[in-house]
Amino acid sequence: MPQQTDAERELAQLLVESLNLEGVEPDAIDPQAPLFNEGLGLDSIDALELSLAIGKRYGVQLRSDGEDNRRIFASLRALSAHVQSQRTG
């Protein structure tokens, strides 16, 4: 499995905490695996919760109807790269 970067590890921790993922270790999330469907199995409600948590923690607004969401939420790595590029603080 590819190694997580520090930013990915921090985001994985936020993901597990904000979504109350039982039995999922943040370190065990493959940064290149899909977050939805066959990967972590997240759904649209999870995406909304995660968007709110990211907004609070990083000041990055993710719109639920954003046309880039499929790309942004493709994997932990893609999400982390987007958050890092959009951070306000």
Side-chain angles (χ1 to χ4, degrees):
M1 180 173 95
Q3 281 293 106
Q4 293 176 349
T5 65
D6 290 343
E8 288 166 354
R9 194 170 301 111
E10 185 180 301
L11 189 58
Q13 185 76 42
L14 177 67
L15 191 151
V16 169
E17 287 172 6
S18 64
L19 301 180
N20 296 319
L21 297 180
E22 298 284 321
V24 176
E25 290 297 320
D27 296 356
I29 298 173
D30 182 338
Q32 295 176 316
L35 293 177
F36 294 89
N37 304 324
E38 72 276 3
L40 268 184
L42 304 185
D43 61 25
S44 57
I45 302 295
D46 294 327
L48 191 59
E49 292 278 330
L50 188 53
S51 296
L52 292 171
I54 287 171
K56 268 191 227 160
R57 166 92 43 104
Y58 298 106
V60 174
Q61 298 307 312
L62 294 167
R63 295 178 39 164
S64 59
D65 60 350
E67 57 194 40
D68 290 336
N69 281 0
R70 187 174 295 276
R71 177 182 55 78
I72 293 168
F73 284 99
S75 65
L76 178 63
R77 181 150 291 164
L79 184 57
S80 178
H82 180 78
V83 168
Q84 294 307 313
S85 72
Q86 300 293 313
R87 280 182 85 160
T88 54

